[in-house]
Amino acid sequence: MADLTRLTAAELAAAVADGTASSVEVTEAHLARVEEVDEKVHAFLHVDREGALAQARAVDERRAAGERLGPLAGVPLALKDIFTTEGVPTTVGSKILEGWVPPYDATVTRRLKEAGVVILGKTNMDEFAMGSSTENSAYGPTGNPWDLTRIPGGSGGGSSASLASFQAPLAIGTDTGGSIRQPAAVTGTVGVKPTYGGVSRYGMVAFSSSLDQGGPCARTVLDAALLHEVIAGHDPLDSTSIDAPVPDVVAAARNGSVEGMRVGVVREFRGEGYQPGVIRRFDESVELLRELGAEVVEVSCPSFDLALAAYYLIAPSECSSNLARFDAMRYGLRIGDDGTRSAEEVTSLTREAGFGAEVKRRVMLGTYALSSGYYDAYYGSAQKVRTLVSRDFERAFADVDVLVSPTTPTTAFPIGERADDPMAMYRADLCTIPVNLAGNAAMSLPCGLADEDGLPVGLQIIAPAMADDRLYRVGSAVEAAFQARWGHPIIEEVPAL
Ligand code: GLN
């Protein structure tokens, strides 16, 4: 049988269902791959070998008992370390949660288990999901499997790197400003930010609650759709969860087409700061959409130019409130509790030692933006921009079915290059942030390699809220056309391993 780590999730699920391979075999193959390459990649913070094999055995037993298995049963997955996992450490990439073992499963974790998905372990991430490179992890950076000296994107760099290095066929990420889509773009993988409220936030450690959204990551559009279906849907434990049927993303992925669709190209997403090779691949994608039967028009969304600034007021403001719970009393780390200090002193010493520089910067920014006297000028103005961004989308979607843009202005940059320049780092999310502010859905999928560095470029497809299926319909048509042109999937072998 072919190397099991090279198969798609759909193929693996079929192999498990028809008995060509057992889930234990599939899981062991992936654990062996982790063993072989993860010392170099550092995609995982924690590998749950025993737990994964137990889950795999349970699936094999259900099959042996004649039970009909779900569409992803027995398939391994890498879970971002922001989702709580009962009995398995959850750190959010932070020292402040080092050693914390949650007593409960996030809804996403629970749904994965119920679907028979095998959770291999927890993946590396920027601390509290703040970053675009995974360099802000308290546990060291992750390498991009295309070139280990470069970033795998962030904050979900562990998840994207695990896919691109064939350590897992599926992964889960979270996207507050781009942390599913940007890592997908720079690793040549597929990532989807569902409509806000489409996937439960219960048990997902909060960064910026009005923006945070969990979603699927995979190497193919169909695999992402199968995973989307497993994790999405109403959850009474999340007050912002949408109580409506989930769009049929799997059917859309199986019936890719752009025939007769109107596609809008966002005029604002090009120009200064965009790498020529990224723009070239993007322009070719637009040409391809035309060839496939779409009608392409240019669309202007002028307020998108203000989105980044608004995001860096709203996200820090919400995080300054959300992170207040890390007070050394409730979870994880506690420093200086020697009987001589007050609770306030212990809290302060613990936060000093437990939070990294970027987290501290954001908490300070957020508390400042929310302070009386400044609230209207900063937080208030940012909320107004948020409304303008939503209106730009509304106007655009009155005329087109989907919007397209590059996912990120450049390909993967070298580790260290932007580490001391927060503004340069923040610009990695220029094209992804408006979607989070408005709450609608978007996908990144590979559209080729940039000429100047041979690194993957991502195409972003944006759909209206609750129309996540359109992403998959368009995405799978584009994916099929590109693969026919290239003659192979974008990642055939792993260049750096
Ligand atoms: N890079 C953005 C930030 O640092 C987005 C992060 C995310 O989506 N979690 O906030």
Side-chain angles (χ1 to χ4, degrees):
M1 170 141 226
D3 182 347
L4 292 169
T5 65
R6 303 302 154 121
L7 302 185
T8 66
E11 290 165 344
L12 289 169
V16 171
D18 70 20
T20 321
S22 68
S23 177
V24 167
E25 281 169 330
V26 169
T27 302
E28 275 174 346
H30 286 88
L31 287 169
R33 178 72 182 167
V34 173
E35 190 94 335
E36 181 195 338
V37 301
D38 208 42
E39 211 170 311
K40 291 189 209 149
V41 179
H42 193 224
F44 285 92
L45 291 177
H46 181 85
V47 178
D48 183 21
R49 199 187 163 79
E50 292 318 310
L53 286 170
Q55 281 171 299
R57 270 193 299 274
V59 171
D60 288 338
E61 278 159 22
R62 279 167 47 204
R63 181 181 178 276
E67 208 177 300
R68 252 186 73 112
L69 301 176
L72 285 179
V75 180
L77 171 140
L79 184 59
K80 189 176 183 182
D81 202 20
I82 194 168
F83 290 90
T84 57
T85 39
E86 186 181 347
V88 174
T90 300
T91 68
V92 205
S94 181
K95 279 270 179 264
I96 209 144
L97 275 182
E98 195 167 32
W100 183 57
V101 180
Y104 72 108
D105 278 335
T107 295
V108 164
T109 310
R110 182 174 54 77
R111 290 200 174 161
L112 290 168
K113 288 181 179 172
E114 284 167 3
V117 175
V118 173
I119 300 171
L120 295 173
K122 309 294 290 289
T123 56
N124 199 14
M125 56 183 287
D126 285 300
E127 185 177 9
F128 283 97
M130 297 174 194
S132 306
S133 68
T134 313
E135 292 166 286
N136 294 336
S137 167
Y139 303 97
T142 296
N144 187 321
W146 289 78
D147 174 350
L148 293 171
T149 69
R150 290 175 186 263
I151 60 105
S155 61
S159 287
S160 65
S162 72
L163 297 171
S165 55
F166 295 97
Q167 299 188 64
L170 297 172
I172 298 278
T174 62
D175 195 308
T176 303
S179 285
I180 289 177
R181 290 163 286 160
Q182 183 258 4
V186 300
T187 56
T189 57
V190 178
V192 175
K193 186 205 94 72
T195 297
Y196 180 78
V199 171
S200 171
R201 288 183 299 110
Y202 179 74
M204 195 175 109
V205 179
F207 160 16
S208 180
S209 307
S210 76
L211 302 165
D212 297 343
Q213 189 54 222
C217 311
R219 287 191 298 266
T220 70
V221 171
L222 175 61
D223 284 0
L226 292 166
L227 184 54
H228 191 133
E229 191 177 52
V230 164
I231 60 174
H234 182 240
D235 180 10
L237 299 174
D238 171 1
S239 61
T240 58
S241 166
I242 298 171
D243 192 0
V246 180
D248 194 345
V249 293
V250 173
R254 291 194 197 278
N255 296 292
S257 166
V258 297
E259 192 75 58
M261 272 190 162
R262 271 172 77 82
V263 174
V265 174
V266 184
R267 184 190 301 160
E268 283 72 18
F269 288 150
R270 62 195 298 142
E272 204 190 325
Y274 287 80
Q275 192 177 321
V278 168
I279 293 299
R280 214 167 297 135
R281 291 295 89 86
F282 174 68
D283 288 345
E284 282 171 12
S285 309
V286 171
E287 211 33 63
L288 178 75
L289 285 162
R290 267 201 199 97
E291 284 166 29
L292 294 174
E295 189 190 334
V296 180
V297 295
E298 199 182 66
V299 168
S300 178
C301 298
S303 67
F304 286 10
D305 289 339
L306 304 171
L308 191 74
Y311 173 88
Y312 277 100
L313 288 166
I314 293 168
S317 295
E318 292 187 14
C319 101
S320 72
S321 161
N322 273 327
L323 270 53
R325 75 191 61 168
F326 300 102
D327 57 3
M329 303 299 142
R330 290 175 243 225
Y331 319 88
L333 194 70
R334 181 180 295 175
I335 304 279
D337 182 17
D338 59 6
T340 70
R341 293 189 174 89
S342 67
E344 284 73 18
E345 285 170 309
V346 171
T347 299
S348 149
L349 285 170
T350 303
R351 286 176 175 164
E352 165 64 36
F355 286 142
E358 183 65 21
V359 172
K360 287 175 184 157
R361 171 157 44 232
R362 302 228 187 163
V363 170
M364 285 193 281
L365 263 171
T367 46
Y368 183 75
L370 291 176
S371 57
S372 74
Y374 293 103
Y375 181 92
D376 286 334
Y378 295 121
Y379 187 75
S381 315
Q383 291 292 17
K384 287 179 189 155
V385 170
R386 191 171 189 174
T387 300
L388 294 177
V389 169
S390 298
R391 285 189 190 153
D392 273 357
F393 274 121
E394 266 166 44
R395 218 172 354 233
F397 287 127
D399 186 39
V400 299
D401 300 298
V402 293
L403 293 166
V404 290
S405 78
T407 306
T408 180
T410 70
T411 55
F413 45 89
I415 291 176
E417 190 185 84
R418 301 189 191 178
D420 300 321
D421 185 351
M423 288 310 291
M425 189 70 84
Y426 296 169
R427 279 196 290 273
D429 298 302
L430 220 44
C431 314
T432 47
I433 277 175
V435 176
N436 301 79
L437 290 176
N440 49 320
M443 166 188 283
S444 177
L445 81 163
C447 63
L449 307 178
D451 300 318
E452 53 273 34
D453 52 24
L455 293 168
V457 176
L459 169 68
Q460 178 173 233
I461 305 167
I462 308 174
M466 308 288 285
D468 306 41
D469 50 333
R470 279 186 214 169
L471 305 174
Y472 292 94
R473 193 173 306 283
V474 175
S476 71
V478 169
E479 178 184 60
F482 271 129
Q483 292 201 5
R485 188 178 284 184
W486 303 329
H488 56 79
I490 190 158
I491 319 175
E492 271 193 298
E493 40 184 314
V494 191
L497 295 169

